[in-house]
Amino acid sequence: MISIVLICVLGLLAVVTHLGVVAVERRYPASGQTIKIEGANINLVDIGPRDGAEPPLLLIHGASSNLDAMRRPLGDLLARYHRVLLVDRPGHGWSERDRLEDSTPAIQARMLEDVLQRLGVTSVILVVHSWSGALGTRMALDFPHRVAGLVMLAPVAYPWRGGVGRYNEAVATPLIGPLLANTITLPLGLLLAKPAARGVFLPQPMPDDFLDVTATPLLLRPREFAANARDLATLKQAVREQAPRYGEIKIPVTIIAGDADRTVFTDIHSRPFAQAVPQTRLIVRPDLGHMVQNAVPELVIEEIDRMVAGIARANALPTGP
């Protein structure tokens, strides 16, 4: 009898999840263009002027989010004077990946390299947040010709103590993961999304409309939640493997982080990276939390403009005898 009741409850939750996915996708429809590459369909938004001589800016979001988390307010502000490319990482937002296992920075760096090649973009300045700190460094390591500069906001770069949350680890496991993702994740997530997001913003307040304007509920769809959990579960080993190579990075790097960040600790990630890559410009703001692009967008834009100008000056220098 208990088994029958449990099966009925799970079936009801699966129906609720399906209906919830339909509602969420209607509320937050896709924007931009779809670029088909090997292993994924990547959703990309291309905004701002295209007549500038400097490389475009490629903004890449972190975990548990999509391109709108980098677009508002940062991407829209930058697009007044720069060409800005925003992508949903493979498996996130409106980007689909063929294999759940394609979760590592190395694989996703290769995918984004394919996207840039399809677009005919020679090089970019990467602006990356949180999880994508590992992705940005991997792109700089594996495709140095494609990355002219790297701006990292509260980045992940090194292994850390502990895990990524038991629920994420459970969703990333076979059998139990799909069951959780297709039954309780969406209804439970809708209840917990706001307090969870507020915790990431601390000590800064979260804007009241943040979840809505950034289409955050898309994360609760089973396929995306499973991809996000897998990305998180495999990240520590990925940065453990690539961290010894950071000294190979020769492009200009700027890091903006906060000493009050309790999501990605600055002393574990940003400070050691700045020591490993001497040309890094490290800015650590007191009382700044994890959501750097929302808390201090003017500072981020100022530092991006500084990097753009520096790269322009370097490119203008004579190279011959």
Side-chain angles (χ1 to χ4, degrees), residues 272-287:
F273 186 91
Q275 294 177 347
V277 183
Q279 73 275 17
T280 299
R281 175 177 168 83
L282 175 62
I283 300 169
V284 179
R285 277 290 188 92
D287 302 318

PDB file of all heavy atoms in Angstrom, residues 272-287:
ATOM      1  N   PRO A 272      45.404  33.323  -4.791  1.00  0.00           N
ATOM      2  CA  PRO A 272      46.397  32.391  -5.339  1.00  0.00           C
ATOM      3  C   PRO A 272      46.568  32.503  -6.846  1.00  0.00           C
ATOM      4  O   PRO A 272      47.683  32.365  -7.366  1.00  0.00           O
ATOM      5  CB  PRO A 272      45.858  31.013  -4.939  1.00  0.00           C
ATOM      6  CG  PRO A 272      45.003  31.259  -3.756  1.00  0.00           C
ATOM      7  CD  PRO A 272      44.384  32.597  -3.992  1.00  0.00           C
ATOM      8  N   PHE A 273      45.489  32.767  -7.570  1.00  0.00           N
ATOM      9  CA  PHE A 273      45.605  32.922  -9.017  1.00  0.00           C
ATOM     10  C   PHE A 273      46.473  34.126  -9.359  1.00  0.00           C
ATOM     11  O   PHE A 273      47.317  34.062 -10.266  1.00  0.00           O
ATOM     12  CB  PHE A 273      44.223  33.075  -9.652  1.00  0.00           C
ATOM     13  CG  PHE A 273      44.258  33.107 -11.153  1.00  0.00           C
ATOM     14  CD1 PHE A 273      44.131  31.937 -11.883  1.00  0.00           C
ATOM     15  CD2 PHE A 273      44.447  34.292 -11.845  1.00  0.00           C
ATOM     16  CE1 PHE A 273      44.183  31.950 -13.272  1.00  0.00           C
ATOM     17  CE2 PHE A 273      44.498  34.331 -13.225  1.00  0.00           C
ATOM     18  CZ  PHE A 273      44.370  33.157 -13.945  1.00  0.00           C
ATOM     19  N   ALA A 274      46.284  35.218  -8.642  1.00  0.00           N
ATOM     20  CA  ALA A 274      47.084  36.414  -8.903  1.00  0.00           C
ATOM     21  C   ALA A 274      48.564  36.166  -8.638  1.00  0.00           C
ATOM     22  O   ALA A 274      49.435  36.768  -9.289  1.00  0.00           O
ATOM     23  CB  ALA A 274      46.578  37.578  -8.056  1.00  0.00           C
ATOM     24  N   GLN A 275      48.868  35.282  -7.715  1.00  0.00           N
ATOM     25  CA  GLN A 275      50.261  34.929  -7.470  1.00  0.00           C
ATOM     26  C   GLN A 275      50.806  34.036  -8.573  1.00  0.00           C
ATOM     27  O   GLN A 275      51.977  34.143  -8.951  1.00  0.00           O
ATOM     28  CB  GLN A 275      50.383  34.232  -6.113  1.00  0.00           C
ATOM     29  CG  GLN A 275      50.071  35.139  -4.926  1.00  0.00           C
ATOM     30  CD  GLN A 275      50.138  34.404  -3.596  1.00  0.00           C
ATOM     31  OE1 GLN A 275      50.175  33.169  -3.565  1.00  0.00           O
ATOM     32  NE2 GLN A 275      50.136  35.158  -2.506  1.00  0.00           N
ATOM     33  N   ALA A 276      49.969  33.178  -9.120  1.00  0.00           N
ATOM     34  CA  ALA A 276      50.417  32.253 -10.167  1.00  0.00           C
ATOM     35  C   ALA A 276      50.542  32.927 -11.527  1.00  0.00           C
ATOM     36  O   ALA A 276      51.347  32.496 -12.360  1.00  0.00           O
ATOM     37  CB  ALA A 276      49.439  31.079 -10.262  1.00  0.00           C
ATOM     38  N   VAL A 277      49.764  33.986 -11.746  1.00  0.00           N
ATOM     39  CA  VAL A 277      49.770  34.707 -13.025  1.00  0.00           C
ATOM     40  C   VAL A 277      50.141  36.153 -12.731  1.00  0.00           C
ATOM     41  O   VAL A 277      49.291  36.990 -12.418  1.00  0.00           O
ATOM     42  CB  VAL A 277      48.386  34.617 -13.709  1.00  0.00           C
ATOM     43  CG1 VAL A 277      48.408  35.289 -15.072  1.00  0.00           C
ATOM     44  CG2 VAL A 277      47.943  33.159 -13.836  1.00  0.00           C
ATOM     45  N   PRO A 278      51.425  36.492 -12.807  1.00  0.00           N
ATOM     46  CA  PRO A 278      51.912  37.781 -12.300  1.00  0.00           C
ATOM     47  C   PRO A 278      51.282  39.004 -12.949  1.00  0.00           C
ATOM     48  O   PRO A 278      51.217  40.067 -12.318  1.00  0.00           O
ATOM     49  CB  PRO A 278      53.427  37.718 -12.590  1.00  0.00           C
ATOM     50  CG  PRO A 278      53.740  36.269 -12.712  1.00  0.00           C
ATOM     51  CD  PRO A 278      52.518  35.640 -13.294  1.00  0.00           C
ATOM     52  N   GLN A 279      50.834  38.909 -14.200  1.00  0.00           N
ATOM     53  CA  GLN A 279      50.274  40.084 -14.865  1.00  0.00           C
ATOM     54  C   GLN A 279      48.816  40.343 -14.476  1.00  0.00           C
ATOM     55  O   GLN A 279      48.148  41.204 -15.056  1.00  0.00           O
ATOM     56  CB  GLN A 279      50.384  39.958 -16.383  1.00  0.00           C
ATOM     57  CG  GLN A 279      49.430  38.965 -17.047  1.00  0.00           C
ATOM     58  CD  GLN A 279      49.966  37.543 -17.054  1.00  0.00           C
ATOM     59  OE1 GLN A 279      50.883  37.202 -16.309  1.00  0.00           O
ATOM     60  NE2 GLN A 279      49.401  36.707 -17.905  1.00  0.00           N
ATOM     61  N   THR A 280      48.336  39.617 -13.458  1.00  0.00           N
ATOM     62  CA  THR A 280      46.954  39.795 -13.015  1.00  0.00           C
ATOM     63  C   THR A 280      46.808  41.082 -12.213  1.00  0.00           C
ATOM     64  O   THR A 280      47.585  41.364 -11.300  1.00  0.00           O
ATOM     65  CB  THR A 280      46.504  38.609 -12.149  1.00  0.00           C
ATOM     66  OG1 THR A 280      46.563  37.413 -12.924  1.00  0.00           O
ATOM     67  CG2 THR A 280      45.090  38.804 -11.637  1.00  0.00           C
ATOM     68  N   ARG A 281      45.775  41.836 -12.540  1.00  0.00           N
ATOM     69  CA  ARG A 281      45.378  42.999 -11.746  1.00  0.00           C
ATOM     70  C   ARG A 281      44.263  42.539 -10.806  1.00  0.00           C
ATOM     71  O   ARG A 281      43.155  42.222 -11.246  1.00  0.00           O
ATOM     72  CB  ARG A 281      44.900  44.121 -12.665  1.00  0.00           C
ATOM     73  CG  ARG A 281      44.343  45.350 -11.965  1.00  0.00           C
ATOM     74  CD  ARG A 281      43.981  46.414 -12.993  1.00  0.00           C
ATOM     75  NE  ARG A 281      43.190  47.491 -12.423  1.00  0.00           N
ATOM     76  CZ  ARG A 281      43.688  48.538 -11.770  1.00  0.00           C
ATOM     77  NH1 ARG A 281      45.001  48.643 -11.614  1.00  0.00           N
ATOM     78  NH2 ARG A 281      42.888  49.481 -11.290  1.00  0.00           N
ATOM     79  N   LEU A 282      44.567  42.471  -9.524  1.00  0.00           N
ATOM     80  CA  LEU A 282      43.623  41.948  -8.535  1.00  0.00           C
ATOM     81  C   LEU A 282      43.004  43.094  -7.749  1.00  0.00           C
ATOM     82  O   LEU A 282      43.707  43.901  -7.128  1.00  0.00           O
ATOM     83  CB  LEU A 282      44.329  40.986  -7.583  1.00  0.00           C
ATOM     84  CG  LEU A 282      43.490  40.449  -6.412  1.00  0.00           C
ATOM     85  CD1 LEU A 282      42.296  39.653  -6.913  1.00  0.00           C
ATOM     86  CD2 LEU A 282      44.358  39.618  -5.475  1.00  0.00           C
ATOM     87  N   ILE A 283      41.680  43.155  -7.764  1.00  0.00           N
ATOM     88  CA  ILE A 283      40.936  44.166  -7.014  1.00  0.00           C
ATOM     89  C   ILE A 283      40.028  43.429  -6.039  1.00  0.00           C
ATOM     90  O   ILE A 283      39.123  42.699  -6.456  1.00  0.00           O
ATOM     91  CB  ILE A 283      40.101  45.058  -7.943  1.00  0.00           C
ATOM     92  CG1 ILE A 283      41.000  45.777  -8.940  1.00  0.00           C
ATOM     93  CG2 ILE A 283      39.263  46.059  -7.147  1.00  0.00           C
ATOM     94  CD1 ILE A 283      40.240  46.473 -10.058  1.00  0.00           C
ATOM     95  N   VAL A 284      40.267  43.610  -4.759  1.00  0.00           N
ATOM     96  CA  VAL A 284      39.439  42.992  -3.727  1.00  0.00           C
ATOM     97  C   VAL A 284      38.743  44.100  -2.949  1.00  0.00           C
ATOM     98  O   VAL A 284      39.399  44.907  -2.300  1.00  0.00           O
ATOM     99  CB  VAL A 284      40.274  42.113  -2.778  1.00  0.00           C
ATOM    100  CG1 VAL A 284      39.376  41.500  -1.693  1.00  0.00           C
ATOM    101  CG2 VAL A 284      40.986  41.007  -3.555  1.00  0.00           C
ATOM    102  N   ARG A 285      37.437  44.122  -3.056  1.00  0.00           N
ATOM    103  CA  ARG A 285      36.640  45.160  -2.411  1.00  0.00           C
ATOM    104  C   ARG A 285      36.151  44.687  -1.038  1.00  0.00           C
ATOM    105  O   ARG A 285      35.647  43.573  -0.908  1.00  0.00           O
ATOM    106  CB  ARG A 285      35.426  45.502  -3.263  1.00  0.00           C
ATOM    107  CG  ARG A 285      35.687  46.491  -4.395  1.00  0.00           C
ATOM    108  CD  ARG A 285      35.947  47.889  -3.813  1.00  0.00           C
ATOM    109  NE  ARG A 285      36.021  48.906  -4.838  1.00  0.00           N
ATOM    110  CZ  ARG A 285      34.986  49.638  -5.259  1.00  0.00           C
ATOM    111  NH1 ARG A 285      33.780  49.435  -4.749  1.00  0.00           N
ATOM    112  NH2 ARG A 285      35.151  50.560  -6.173  1.00  0.00           N
ATOM    113  N   PRO A 286      36.285  45.546  -0.020  1.00  0.00           N
ATOM    114  CA  PRO A 286      35.738  45.181   1.288  1.00  0.00           C
ATOM    115  C   PRO A 286      34.210  45.148   1.249  1.00  0.00           C
ATOM    116  O   PRO A 286      33.570  45.919   0.523  1.00  0.00           O
ATOM    117  CB  PRO A 286      36.241  46.302   2.208  1.00  0.00           C
ATOM    118  CG  PRO A 286      36.491  47.466   1.296  1.00  0.00           C
ATOM    119  CD  PRO A 286      36.933  46.871  -0.007  1.00  0.00           C
ATOM    120  N   ASP A 287      33.642  44.230   2.009  1.00  0.00           N
ATOM    121  CA  ASP A 287      32.183  44.110   2.159  1.00  0.00           C
ATOM    122  C   ASP A 287      31.461  43.829   0.846  1.00  0.00           C
ATOM    123  O   ASP A 287      30.269  44.107   0.718  1.00  0.00           O
ATOM    124  CB  ASP A 287      31.602  45.377   2.801  1.00  0.00           C
ATOM    125  CG  ASP A 287      32.204  45.674   4.157  1.00  0.00           C
ATOM    126  OD1 ASP A 287      32.389  44.719   4.934  1.00  0.00           O
ATOM    127  OD2 ASP A 287      32.522  46.842   4.433  1.00  0.00           O
TER     128      ASP A 287
END
